[in-house]
Amino acid sequence: MNAVVMMKPIHDPQVPLTESEISSPEFGFRETHMVYGPYDENALETALQLKDRFAIGVIAMIMAEDVPDDLLRQPLAVGADQIIHIPYGSWSLSPLEVAHVLAQALQEVNDPGVILTGIQSGDWDTGFVPMALAASLECGYVGHVTDIQRVDSQWHIWRREANLTQHLVTDTLVVAAVTSSGRNNLRYHTMR
């Protein structure tokens, strides 16, 4: 069984945009100074914790054109088992079209048990793609996920929104949109 994590490179919010980047016709269609959005990193860490506790595979699915090699390798460096790169620019697509492309790519994944996304992207912040992806896959959707565990053959999902914590249980495929919980900051291995 695999946990599939949807990841999207965005412009690094720590790097100010230059006037020439803003005035470029490529602005909004090609990123420079790319990083993964913080919620995508939370989703990846959540998947890595599932791998640590329940011995499932982790596949990072990255949809973007022109991703630098170091950014493509980053999920592998922290513990993902596989990368699937979809060389398609999401900037030119609507959220529904992005969800359709991701759903088509997921058909090639062997035994997806759960699909993890960030609750929203770090650039346009619509938060619509995870819901549209669930609709495209005709499966469940849970937002604001803070933790997920595998018990027997069921997913136990905790979500928190507006001071309310819910515990949900399902035995079917689900798209879980992960938010920051304080326990899912992405691990970074250091080299000596």
Side-chain angles (χ1 to χ4, degrees):
M1 178 174 298
N2 292 298
V4 183
V5 184
M6 302 298 169
M7 301 187 74
K8 176 185 170 189
I10 63 169
H11 179 85
D12 186 346
Q14 302 295 322
V15 178
L17 290 165
T18 65
E19 191 64 40
S20 63
E21 287 174 314
I22 294 171
S23 61
S24 166
E26 294 289 308
F27 180 69
F29 292 93
R30 294 209 186 271
E31 292 292 347
T32 55
H33 312 289
M34 290 192 289
V35 297
Y36 292 113
Y39 293 115
D40 292 348
E41 289 185 346
N42 294 142
L44 180 57
E45 178 59 31
T46 300
L48 294 172
Q49 290 174 14
L50 284 170
K51 178 181 178 179
D52 293 344
R53 292 184 275 177
F54 308 105
I56 66 171
V58 174
I59 299 172
M61 188 173 282
I62 302 162
M63 182 175 171
E65 291 180 311
D66 304 325
V67 180
D69 286 344
D70 61 331
L71 200 58
L72 274 176
R73 288 191 302 265
Q74 181 182 338
L76 293 173
V78 295
D81 300 302
Q82 182 182 352
I83 298 291
I84 297 174
H85 177 216
I86 305 166
Y88 216 115
S90 64
W91 289 105
S92 58
L93 302 175
S94 73
L96 286 172
E97 292 168 324
V98 169
H100 180 71
V101 169
L102 293 173
Q104 293 296 313
L106 277 163
Q107 291 180 359
E108 304 300 318
V109 173
N110 183 31
D111 195 18
V114 65
I115 299 162
L116 301 171
T117 70
I119 189 69
Q120 63 188 29
S121 182
D123 46 14
W124 297 110
D125 294 331
T126 64
F128 186 70
V129 171
M131 289 180 276
L133 178 59
S136 292
L137 296 171
E138 297 180 356
C139 71
Y141 166 81
V142 180
H144 299 277
V145 172
T146 57
D147 193 20
I148 184 167
Q149 296 181 19
R150 184 83 175 162
V151 180
D152 298 324
S153 62
Q154 297 180 316
W155 294 107
H156 288 252
I157 302 169
W158 286 265
R159 67 182 302 274
R160 183 164 178 84
E161 185 176 16
N163 297 324
L164 174 67
T165 300
Q166 294 176 310
H167 175 205
L168 308 166
V169 180
T170 184
D171 58 359
T172 62
L173 181 65
V174 65
V175 174
V178 178
T179 190
S180 179
S181 70
R183 294 183 310 274
N184 62 0
N185 295 328
L186 185 60
R187 61 187 79 178
Y188 285 100
H189 295 289
T190 58
M191 295 180 64
R192 293 181 194 189

